[in-house]
Amino acid sequence: LPERKARLAEQAQLAENSDEVQVPMEEMERACKFYRDCPYRLSMYEQLKDMDHAMKFCNLTAVNIRNFLMLEILFEVGGQRPECIKNMTIENLMNADTLSTNVEKRVIYISEHKTATTHGLANLIIPLPLFNLLLQYNVNVRAKLAADLDDSFEGLLFVSKDTGEKIQRLDQCCKLFAKVTKMEYNIIPKSFRYLVADLGQRSDDPKIREKLPTHMNHSQSTAQLHYVKEAEKRKEHSEMLTEVWGESKNLPEVAAVEGFEENRAKINAAKKAKLEESAQKKDENFVAGGRKIFSPTERTLIINTFVDVPQSNLKQADYDKAVEESEEFRQMVDSHRDQGKPASKVFQQVANSFRASRRK
């Protein structure tokens, strides 16, 4: 964990543009406040009251509607994991419970997620208008995405176009959110979870600090360790230090050094080049043998390819999907098959490498 934190910090320092780093919490909070009542969102609800009309006359496709509704769930449930959305079935939707608060809501229960065995069902709490749109989508839009869908109660609610298989990533939802909110940073599904966990741990209410993480299906210690971002910890550190130690306010002004930004850019560019050269040398000096089947670059590719897979044991279906969709991953697989390995052995070696990365 300390190595991972150091690596993430280094990536942020060496990033050449905002799209290469995760969004700061202040910017994510701004974007979420804007999105909640923005004209685009409200107009989509108006258009989707009649989904057939929207697809015929409003230039909205089945994929557009699916992506918008997945984004809506991701936004409304905030702290829940994206696999809860990807794994949602028709049965889950139809068995939602009513929750009467100031705004009437529905609770969708999801059992297929990362911490189900330790923290139980994930509760997706959404407003009634969104729930009714999901019911409309299930009746009028879902079947238009792919032929031969599983229409039983066990069928997935959200599926890929043409293939009818499970959605692998929520990238398009995040890009839609970034476009609507004019976000320049890198948005990932966890960005919402990071923000909710961070706001929860900054709350003045001890009940929220203690219990909200559990409702998000992890512990308070996990929230503080993984989801409260380093920038917020630094800010909190500074505020606490000021309170107990004070701060220097009356120092004479000192002029800034000219060319600072240019010099910093040169230093970081040189460091980045050195890291890339080091990585290339590790690959060039790598000799396969024993348990070391894949080079460092290949191991990184395996981790990144299956980053959204919730379980530690790689399934054949996930592997086949990656071979089909990722040209870079397919080239790596082909290079190992060209060494005379049977396809089943390559899959097993990839699965072993993936499982080993999840233990770290």
Side-chain angles (χ1 to χ4, degrees):
L1 184 62
E3 292 178 357
R4 177 177 176 274
K5 286 183 176 292
R7 187 168 63 250
L8 290 174
E10 188 173 60
Q11 288 173 357
Q13 290 168 2
L14 298 180
E16 295 178 355
N17 56 65
S18 56
D19 189 50
E20 295 181 9
V21 297
Q22 291 182 16
V23 56
M25 290 298 95
E26 297 92 340
E27 180 66 5
M28 188 67 188
E29 187 174 1
R30 176 208 65 81
C32 288
K33 286 181 178 178
F34 170 80
Y35 182 79
R36 190 173 297 281
D37 296 307
C38 72
Y40 166 79
R41 185 189 191 201
L42 301 181
S43 68
M44 282 293 289
Y45 271 77
E46 290 293 340
Q47 293 180 66
L48 294 181
K49 287 179 179 179
D50 186 339
M51 291 189 182
D52 281 334
H53 183 273
M55 287 187 284
K56 289 177 182 177
F57 302 105
C58 300
N59 296 320
L60 289 175
T61 66
V63 171
N64 294 149
I65 295 173
R66 181 204 65 192
N67 290 346
F68 173 74
L69 292 178
M70 287 195 298
L71 170 59
E72 280 298 293
I73 300 173
L74 184 64
F75 176 78
E76 286 293 342
V77 303
Q80 296 297 355
R81 293 185 175 87
E83 68 252 29
C84 295
I85 301 172
K86 294 185 289 186
N87 293 337
M88 189 186 302
T89 65
I90 296 172
E91 178 190 14
N92 297 146
L93 178 66
M94 301 305 291
N95 284 314
D97 272 344
T98 298
L99 183 64
S100 295
T101 60
N102 293 333
V103 176
E104 187 173 352
K105 300 179 181 180
R106 295 290 184 270
V107 185
I108 303 172
Y109 303 109
I110 306 295
S111 60
E112 297 294 325
H113 66 93
K114 182 179 177 182
T115 57
T117 55
T118 55
H119 288 84
L121 295 172
N123 301 323
L124 306 189
I125 303 174
I126 60 175
L128 181 59
L130 175 55
F131 177 75
N132 288 336
L133 286 185
L134 293 174
L135 293 178
Q136 266 211 60
Y137 160 86
N138 180 47
V139 174
N140 300 315
V141 179
R142 179 177 175 272
K144 292 179 170 59
L145 289 169
D148 302 324
L149 280 178
D150 177 7
D151 289 325
S152 71
F153 65 92
E154 295 178 329
L156 292 169
L157 185 63
F158 300 113
V159 295
S160 298
K161 188 177 184 300
D162 299 327
T163 65
E165 297 178 357
K166 182 167 73 172
I167 299 291
Q168 294 299 310
R169 297 175 183 272
L170 300 186
D171 293 356
Q172 294 305 313
C173 302
C174 294
K175 288 179 180 178
L176 175 59
F177 180 82
K179 180 180 179 181
V180 172
T181 59
K182 295 179 170 51
M183 178 76 71
E184 297 180 353
Y185 290 90
N186 177 34
I187 298 282
I188 60 174
K190 268 190 177 180
S191 298
F192 297 93
R193 188 171 176 83
Y194 287 144
L195 178 59
V196 172
D198 179 64
L199 292 174
Q201 291 307 296
R202 282 195 278 145
S203 171
D204 294 331
D205 188 338
K207 182 179 179 181
I208 292 178
R209 294 198 301 271
E210 178 186 356
K211 292 193 173 182
L212 181 59
T214 304
H215 297 318
M216 292 167 62
N217 297 88
H218 60 258
S219 65
Q220 185 179 12
S221 60
T222 298
Q224 293 173 343
L225 187 63
H226 294 282
Y227 292 108
V228 178
K229 307 308 292 179
E230 292 301 315
E232 296 304 318
K233 294 178 183 177
R234 290 193 295 270
K235 183 179 178 182
E236 187 180 68
H237 180 184
S238 176
E239 291 171 350
M240 289 181 174
L241 192 60
T242 298
E243 184 173 342
V244 302
W245 186 244
E247 59 184 354
S248 303
K249 298 180 179 179
N250 300 316
L251 297 176
E253 288 190 9
V254 178
V257 176
E258 293 185 4
F260 168 75
E261 291 296 338
E262 292 83 353
N263 287 332
R264 180 166 66 176
K266 287 180 182 178
I267 290 172
N268 286 341
K271 184 177 181 180
K272 198 171 185 179
K274 186 175 181 181
L275 290 172
E276 291 172 353
E277 181 183 358
S278 176
Q280 184 177 351
K281 284 183 178 180
K282 286 182 179 179
D283 274 358
E284 291 173 352
N285 295 332
F286 174 75
V287 178
R291 295 185 177 182
K292 294 184 178 180
I293 307 299
F294 301 105
S295 69
T297 299
E298 289 175 330
R299 291 200 302 272
T300 300
L301 174 60
I302 291 170
I303 292 171
N304 293 338
T305 300
F306 302 108
V307 67
D308 286 334
V309 173
Q311 73 279 353
S312 297
N313 293 320
L314 186 64
K315 297 178 181 178
Q316 182 75 51
D318 292 324
Y319 173 83
D320 293 341
K321 184 84 170 176
V323 170
E324 179 183 344
E325 294 184 349
S326 171
E327 182 178 354
E328 188 178 8
F329 181 72
R330 183 168 60 253
Q331 289 176 352
M332 188 204 79
V333 168
D334 289 342
S335 71
H336 282 266
R337 287 179 179 175
D338 291 343
Q339 298 173 20
K341 300 177 185 177
S344 59
K345 185 172 183 179
V346 177
F347 163 69
Q348 192 57 57
Q349 289 176 340
V350 170
N352 291 342
S353 178
F354 172 74
R355 186 168 60 249
S357 71
R358 288 294 171 99
R359 294 196 190 107
K360 295 179 179 179

